[in-house]
Amino acid sequence: MNEAIVKEEVIEETCSFTFINGEYVEVKQEEDVEQKPEYLLEQEIKTEMNDDFFEANEPDEYFEDVKLEPEEIDSKTEKVFTRTTMGKCEICRKVMPRSLLSLIKSKDYKTVLSENFKIEGSLEIKLPYVCISHIQTLINDYDGNLKSPSTKSEQLLRTFISKHKILMKDRKSRRQTCRVCHMPKTRKTELYEIASKNIRTVIMTGCILRGTHSVESAMPYIENKRGFTCFSHCNEAIDMIFEHFGVRSMQEFLKCPLLAMDNLMDIVKKIVSNFTLDQFLYTFNLLFVKKTKFPV
């Protein structure tokens, strides 16, 4: 039996209509390329609710198409969507995290990309993704060279570069790199900026117990004063230390025998030689309390 593929696609288009001879008729409008001063273009971009780079209401994930098993064809179909943070660049066809891709909606911008890159995929699909690195390449190659564009192609390229320079700058200001996994993350929703060296020491203790870090690889994180760290790594460190002692709560942890604590402190002192047991217990409890305030 053939497999059935369920796809849902919602396309919103803005059209103009006029009432002629008792019915509504769509009016096609020609788009003129208008040169605007940089400051006007920047104001326009900042006030847009939806742009080609990212949307305020757009989630970090998109929905994959769902393929149903054969036995479900004749039965009542239950739609199940799988969230993913991966996407494919239509220029180079590489699969990568969505954070490294840009959504292209404008036909003019598709034209700009088609004229400047060898397209391995297709920009003819409704909402193609392209690598941010490709956009940055155009900015690097042409920024400053199109102050007086003489052709429509140059005008489109100038507009493309001006807009995406601002969007790239805004995007960078919203993201930081986690000092543990070295992945770019959204600062407000995914990262905890840890100024305390003691808390960073506790987190690295958990990482060493998990086997993801050695004492040597832990040192740069300990010494970095702006320790941006994924919330998940904080949770993992707490869970790993609990697991090391075979406990599930802070109350059980504080009742662990001193000999077991001494074994843990042997690891801690390899990271920070003058770190005391009292400091560790206080800091671990502080991190545990902060965990309750992390985004779910």
Side-chain angles (χ1 to χ4, degrees):
M1 186 178 293
N2 295 329
E3 294 183 345
I5 298 177
V6 177
K7 293 186 177 180
E8 287 192 354
E9 183 177 19
V10 179
I11 303 172
E12 294 185 1
E13 296 184 353
T14 302
C15 302
S16 298
F17 295 87
T18 185
F19 194 75
I20 301 176
N21 297 329
E23 61 179 357
Y24 286 99
V25 179
E26 181 179 351
V27 179
K28 295 184 178 179
Q29 298 179 348
E30 295 293 332
E31 293 186 4
D32 295 326
V33 178
E34 179 183 356
Q35 289 184 242
K36 298 181 180 180
E38 294 290 336
Y39 74 94
L40 288 180
L41 183 60
E42 182 172 350
Q43 289 177 354
E44 176 184 312
I45 294 168
K46 289 182 177 179
T47 56
E48 284 184 343
M49 294 300 295
N50 300 318
D51 54 57
D52 300 307
F53 205 71
F54 57 83
E55 297 183 34
N57 297 322
E58 182 183 1
D60 287 336
E61 301 87 14
Y62 63 93
F63 291 112
E64 289 184 326
D65 296 329
V66 180
K67 185 177 291 185
L68 301 179
E69 296 299 325
E71 61 268 22
E72 294 180 316
I73 294 176
D74 296 326
S75 62
K76 184 178 180 180
T77 303
E78 181 179 355
K79 297 174 184 176
V80 180
F81 295 95
T82 304
R83 287 183 180 271
T84 177
T85 56
M86 303 299 288
K88 182 183 292 184
C89 171
E90 292 298 331
I91 293 179
C92 62
R93 300 295 287 172
K94 291 181 179 179
V95 177
M96 61 190 69
R98 265 283 307 278
S99 59
L100 302 178
L101 294 169
S102 171
L103 186 64
I104 304 298
K105 299 177 184 178
S106 166
K107 290 183 179 180
D108 288 341
Y109 292 167
K110 292 179 184 179
T111 300
V112 169
L113 294 170
S114 298
E115 290 177 350
N116 287 276
F117 292 101
K118 179 181 178 181
I119 309 299
E120 300 290 341
S122 173
L123 295 180
E124 298 303 318
I125 61 177
K126 293 295 181 182
L127 299 173
Y129 286 93
V130 301
C131 298
I132 292 174
S133 60
H134 297 318
I135 295 174
Q136 188 63 56
T137 296
L138 284 182
I139 294 174
N140 294 341
D141 290 348
Y142 294 101
D143 186 29
N145 298 330
L146 298 169
K147 294 182 179 180
S148 300
S150 58
T151 65
K152 181 178 180 179
S153 179
E154 290 180 349
Q155 290 170 355
L156 291 176
L157 180 57
R158 177 181 180 273
T159 303
F160 178 93
I161 290 174
S162 298
K163 181 171 185 177
H164 283 84
K165 275 179 62 179
I166 297 169
L167 294 174
M168 292 280 273
K169 182 178 179 180
D170 184 60
R171 184 185 182 93
K172 288 179 180 178
S173 68
R174 297 183 182 198
R175 300 183 71 80
Q176 291 287 345
T177 300
C178 171
R179 300 294 182 180
V180 176
C181 63
H182 306 290
M183 294 295 292
K185 299 293 179 70
T186 304
R187 182 170 178 176
K188 291 185 178 181
T189 59
E190 297 178 287
L191 293 174
Y192 171 28
E193 184 175 4
I194 304 176
S196 168
K197 183 177 180 179
N198 289 353
I199 291 182
R200 296 198 298 273
T201 300
V202 170
I203 291 173
M204 274 297 112
T205 301
C207 290
I208 291 173
L209 290 174
R210 290 182 67 225
T212 59
H213 288 68
S214 64
V215 173
E216 291 74 19
S217 63
M219 296 312 296
Y221 174 78
I222 297 296
E223 299 302 327
N224 193 303
K225 294 182 179 180
R226 297 189 71 194
F228 288 105
T229 306
C230 294
F231 292 124
S232 60
H233 299 320
C234 300
N235 294 331
E236 290 164 358
I238 293 171
D239 293 342
M240 194 65 234
I241 292 172
F242 277 169
E243 183 179 329
H244 178 74
F245 287 99
V247 299
R248 295 184 177 182
S249 67
M250 181 59 68
Q251 290 76 12
E252 293 178 357
F253 172 74
L254 295 175
K255 293 178 182 178
C256 290
L258 286 177
L259 180 60
M261 290 290 185
D262 288 341
N263 292 335
L264 178 66
M265 290 306 297
D266 288 341
I267 298 175
V268 176
K269 287 182 179 294
K270 290 179 181 179
I271 307 173
V272 181
S273 59
N274 61 348
F275 210 74
T276 67
L277 177 58
D278 287 342
Q279 283 179 307
F280 186 88
L281 294 177
Y282 173 80
T283 306
F284 183 75
N285 184 66
L286 182 62
L287 180 61
F288 184 83
V289 172
K290 287 182 178 293
K291 171 187 174 181
T292 62
K293 300 179 181 180
F294 291 164
V296 178

